[in-house]
Amino acid sequence: MDEIPLNLDTGTSLRISGGKFKFFKGSFYVELNPVGTPLLDSNYYKNSGKFIGVFDAEGVLEQRIIDYPNQLTNPVGHIIPANYYSFDFSQDKMYICFPFEKFIRVYDLDSNFDNYQTLPIPRPDNIELDLIYLPNKFYPSEIPVQDRKISARVSDLIVQEDRLFLSFVINDNQNNDRFREFTSLFQLDLNEMKWKVQSELIDSFDLGMFVSPSNGSFLYLDASVTIKDDKFINFVSTK
């Protein structure tokens, strides 16, 4: 096994778990973490600064790009910290989505990442994309997992040829009998700029989490691994 040591700058580390990572055209794009500021700290997103590090094939940090949105760096209330966003690349562009912005940012890779174009996201009635604010600071030990009001997240963003896929994770914030998460898939035709949106939310413990399109089907990894012995990869037909 070969190793590539990452040359992190002072005051920067990587997230212990859940951090985003991509490899594209010889560069590593890695989510960075501010040393000394835990995720539960209200200043976490602000202290992160430009939170994606671009490393070359030798692990040398070439640049840091993209600040968290103002909704996270200067929130109007308390939120449950989470990895809300996802990103991907196609040709000479970077696509990144924070669902509460209600659009996808599109950056030119040859730019300085100060400006971006936007692709508006459809807003179906059964999905709330806004951040959910809490009356007090969130402490995991004080709120059982089934009672947590968690905002919508983008579990994955995939650009494949002329199509873009957004996979959302939506918590059941109405019922607290047990912890439930639903999944919803959006598809954008990048040629015609037309969206297709999954009409009904699906319990992720029944179907699994979206992985990628595959030969005319959608590939899901069965998420029910903790409550049954049989595991599945589910292929959902698009016809």
Side-chain angles (χ1 to χ4, degrees):
M1 181 177 67
D2 294 330
E3 294 181 347
I4 300 175
L6 295 180
N7 180 25
L8 298 172
D9 50 7
T10 302
T12 301
S13 65
L14 304 183
R15 287 192 49 177
I16 295 176
S17 63
K20 303 290 187 177
F21 168 85
K22 295 278 186 175
F23 179 74
F24 184 71
K25 289 188 175 181
S27 294
F28 299 98
Y29 294 78
V30 185
E31 180 178 344
L32 302 178
N33 181 74
V35 171
T37 307
L39 184 60
L40 292 179
D41 192 302
S42 59
N43 291 316
Y44 173 84
Y45 297 106
K46 180 181 293 185
N47 291 352
S48 294
K50 296 189 182 301
F51 67 96
I52 295 181
V54 184
F55 298 82
D56 67 13
E58 303 300 322
V60 176
L61 180 64
E62 296 181 324
Q63 61 177 327
R64 297 179 63 141
I65 60 174
I66 304 178
D67 292 289
Y68 283 110
N70 188 63
Q71 294 96 319
L72 296 177
T73 57
N74 296 284
V76 298
H78 301 284
I79 62 174
I80 293 181
N83 210 322
Y84 292 103
Y85 77 99
S86 190
F87 66 95
D88 200 9
F89 303 90
S90 179
Q91 299 180 13
D92 59 349
K93 298 184 183 299
M94 176 181 185
Y95 298 77
I96 183 168
C97 180
F98 298 89
F100 47 80
E101 290 190 316
K102 302 182 182 67
F103 55 76
I104 300 168
R105 301 183 184 189
V106 184
Y107 290 92
D108 288 326
L109 291 179
D110 293 333
S111 71
N112 57 11
F113 289 88
D114 288 338
N115 299 294
Y116 53 83
Q117 296 177 313
T118 61
L119 299 175
I121 301 172
R123 300 176 62 183
D125 293 337
N126 59 348
I127 294 180
E128 177 55 62
L129 298 179
D130 289 325
L131 283 171
I132 298 175
Y133 292 104
L134 310 176
N136 302 298
K137 183 178 179 180
F138 170 66
Y139 293 99
S141 60
E142 295 181 358
I143 306 178
V145 63
Q146 67 271 16
D147 293 336
R148 296 175 187 175
K149 306 299 182 184
I150 304 177
S151 309
R153 287 98 67 211
V154 178
S155 62
D156 212 342
L157 188 161
I158 297 173
V159 185
Q160 190 178 84
E161 297 179 351
D162 57 354
R163 295 181 298 168
L164 180 149
F165 299 88
L166 275 180
S167 177
F168 287 96
V169 175
I170 313 294
N171 268 65
D172 182 359
N173 290 315
Q174 304 300 320
N175 305 294
N176 60 2
D177 58 322
R178 62 187 175 92
F179 179 73
R180 298 183 72 193
E181 284 185 336
F182 297 93
T183 181
S184 183
L185 184 63
F186 291 19
Q187 175 182 320
L188 174 63
D189 184 316
L190 292 171
N191 292 326
E192 299 183 1
M193 301 307 292
K194 292 183 178 180
W195 286 94
K196 292 181 180 179
V197 179
Q198 183 178 314
S199 59
E200 299 292 337
L201 299 179
I202 299 176
D203 193 320
S204 60
F205 285 94
D206 293 333
L207 179 63
M209 300 304 295
F210 177 72
V211 177
S212 71
S214 176
N215 295 324
S217 297
F218 296 140
L219 177 63
Y220 288 78
L221 177 63
D222 191 330
S224 301
V225 292
T226 59
I227 59 174
K228 64 184 180 184
D229 292 332
D230 295 328
K231 285 80 174 176
F232 302 96
I233 294 174
N234 293 318
F235 288 85
V236 180
S237 175
T238 59
K239 298 179 180 179

